[in-house]
Amino acid sequence: MKQKHAVVIGSGFAGLSAATHLAAENFSVTLLEKNDSPGGRARKFESQGFTFDMGPSWYWMPDVFEDYFSHFGKKPSDYYDLIRLDPSYSVIYGKDDVLEIPADLDQFKATLEEIEPGASAQLDLFLAQAKYKYQVGIHDLVKRPSRSLMEFASLGLMKDMMRMDIFQSMSSHVRKFFKSEKIIRLMEFPVLFLGETSENIPALYSLMNYADIALGTWYPKGGMHEIIKGMVALAEEKGVKIRYNAEVEEIEIERGDARRVRLTTGEKISADVVIAGADYHHVDKHLVNPKYSNYSEEYWNTRVLAPSSLLFYLGVNKKLKNLLHHNLFFDEPLGPHADAIYTNPRWPEAPLFYACVPSVTDDTVAPENMENLFLLIPLAPDLEDSEETRAKYYDIILDRLEKISGQEIRSHVIFKRSYAHSDFKSDYHAYKGNAYGLANTLKQTALLKPSLKNKKVSNLFYTGQLTVPGPGVPPSLISGYVVANEVIRENS
């Protein structure tokens, strides 16, 4: 039987995952990457002795990574060394009001008990439910391609889903267990990765609290890009041919079949199957003939996108104090910032933000006696992000960072780079400059997400954060696995 050739567009987590799974099943695979290095949003760059991860910085759900590598007889430690962070992260409610989250569960329970008597016992109940959701959600539901209701028709699965609080909001669910606003904000924090407020995210996603509290926060020494390096090495070992600076301009379709892709250079590459790990909207509206689009522009305009971000990559020429590896600044009310992201899109007046200092854990990412500082403000998609606006928000968060941490930082910054909406659009063709993909609202879950297969083209598939199962690094790994399985099933 003739070996089939698959072309995968985009070398992010989903694209690499799909390509490697296909290559392991005897497909000839060419992976095309627009940029000059792999990883998509998980690229890295180096300057003045600093190594910056450009996007993802949280390593949660270690079992998903273990599962990925185990498909190929490997394990994460074959490619990178993991460090469990302890404390996992800090939540900063104000100056001298900081909650450090211990890795040890008993210590964490004691910490909550000090804030709210009885919270320790409530946490046990909360986590028991969250564990169940994690086991069913991550090890079953998210691995379904969501192409038919029949995938969810078994009685056992329907019972499982009824127990998973799909129709209850995360906000109301958390408040059944805890009364302290500090604890509530802490428990609601993980759903910020899912692209909506806790009022609009199903309580199913308390599974992320289980990932956070029970499975822990980890860090691959050298940075998150080490995962990409490992995945690239494995892909190439399996025979995937990766080409960089190879941007696709068109997927050429004849009589309902994707026959080849044409690069911006004019080169054409034949394909028996095409998997698009690039931005779904970009592929749907710009790379295929309009008559083969899966969705109308109106459809896309009514999707709820996860936030974009304003990022600052800073090199600081001294060691910093009073900051952990991960630091969440909740020193301003969430409501107005959430309104600026989700309800009345605008630049927020008093933004919450996140500060990552990986050099606290890893001395290889900054020169000796210096710090690697990564700052992130979540923002509504599709905002104008001029240099003047970026500079304004740099000053806003540096003022607060200096005040709360009790130190001068701004004058010690020797390297600075910003990144926001226009960069996401330029580098990734990101729809409306989104950073995280499609929000995991109830109306955008499973079958209600954009389909992983084109409805009009027999051999064109999609993977990544705008299709199933959703945004985040572990879901993207799973997305590549799910779409590869569909391709294999249809070509066996």
Side-chain angles (χ1 to χ4, degrees), residues 450-469:
S451 173
L452 62 70
K453 187 178 181 185
N454 190 289
K455 303 167 187 175
K456 306 166 189 173
V457 182
S458 65
N459 59 343
L460 174 57
F461 297 79
Y462 305 86
T463 189
Q465 59 187 11
L466 284 170
T467 184
V468 291

Side-chain angles (χ1 to χ4, degrees), residues 398-416:
L398 259 291
D399 285 346
R400 282 164 51 198
L401 182 61
E402 289 182 328
K403 179 181 178 181
I404 290 171
S405 67
Q407 62 196 313
E408 173 67 29
I409 298 174
R410 190 185 274 100
S411 64
H412 292 274
V413 173
I414 60 172
F415 175 83
K416 174 185 171 187

Side-chain angles (χ1 to χ4, degrees), residues 238-458:
K238 293 298 177 185
V240 177
K241 298 177 178 64
I242 304 177
R243 294 183 53 182
Y244 303 108
N245 298 306
E247 181 173 1
V248 175
E249 190 166 64
E250 183 183 0
I251 299 170
E252 295 188 354
I253 300 166
E254 297 174 3
R255 293 185 293 279
D257 290 333
R259 296 293 179 87
R260 64 195 69 82
V261 299
R262 177 168 52 83
L263 306 185
T264 53
T265 60
E267 179 185 354
K268 296 185 179 184
I269 302 170
S270 296
D272 296 302
V273 61
V274 176
I275 299 178
D279 180 270
Y280 197 132
H281 173 270
H282 174 69
V283 176
D284 197 41
K285 307 311 292 181
H286 299 286
L287 298 192
V288 302
N289 185 298
K291 70 179 180 180
Y292 294 115
S293 286
N294 247 5
Y295 301 102
S296 67
E297 197 62 53
E298 180 185 6
Y299 169 90
W300 285 109
N301 272 322
T302 57
R303 296 310 90 190
V304 179
L305 291 173
S308 186
S309 299
L310 171 57
L311 310 170
F312 294 103
Y313 311 99
L314 306 178
V316 182
N317 69 359
K318 71 170 185 176
K319 301 304 288 185
L320 299 176
K321 60 185 182 180
N322 302 326
L323 292 171
L324 300 182
H325 187 122
H326 297 297
N327 309 270
L328 304 168
F329 282 77
F330 287 176
D331 55 309
E332 293 285 353
L334 173 61
H337 190 169
D339 181 78
I341 297 175
Y342 304 112
T343 309
N344 299 293
R346 64 188 186 279
W347 283 87
E349 291 76 20
L352 281 69
F353 67 97
Y354 158 65
C356 181
V357 195
S359 46
V360 167
T361 305
D362 183 359
D363 60 10
T364 70
V365 298
E368 187 176 3
N369 295 320
M370 297 189 189
E371 299 283 30
N372 176 319
L373 177 58
F374 170 97
L375 302 174
L376 181 152
I377 304 172
L379 297 166
D382 222 20
L383 300 179
E384 291 293 327
D385 63 303
S386 67
E387 288 302 321
E388 293 77 13
T389 302
R390 296 187 190 198
K392 171 186 173 182
Y393 279 84
Y394 176 74
D395 286 336
I396 287 172
I397 62 174
L398 259 291
D399 285 346
R400 282 164 51 198
L401 182 61
E402 289 182 328
K403 179 181 178 181
I404 290 171
S405 67
Q407 62 196 313
E408 173 67 29
I409 298 174
R410 190 185 274 100
S411 64
H412 292 274
V413 173
I414 60 172
F415 175 83
K416 174 185 171 187
R417 178 180 174 184
S418 64
Y419 199 96
H421 303 71
S422 57
D423 300 297
F424 283 106
K425 291 177 182 177
S426 173
D427 286 354
Y428 312 120
H429 295 299
Y431 182 50
K432 297 185 177 181
N434 83 84
Y436 300 106
L438 207 62
N440 268 347
T441 62
L442 180 59
K443 293 180 180 179
Q444 295 181 163
T445 295
L447 283 86
L448 302 178
K449 286 188 185 294
S451 173
L452 62 70
K453 187 178 181 185
N454 190 289
K455 303 167 187 175
K456 306 166 189 173
V457 182
S458 65

Side-chain angles (χ1 to χ4, degrees), residues 1-6 22-29 238-239 241 271-272:
M1 206 171 153
K2 177 178 174 287
Q3 187 182 40
K4 293 199 171 181
H5 182 220
L22 288 176
E25 293 295 325
N26 200 36
F27 279 75
S28 168
V29 183
K238 293 298 177 185
K241 298 177 178 64
D272 296 302

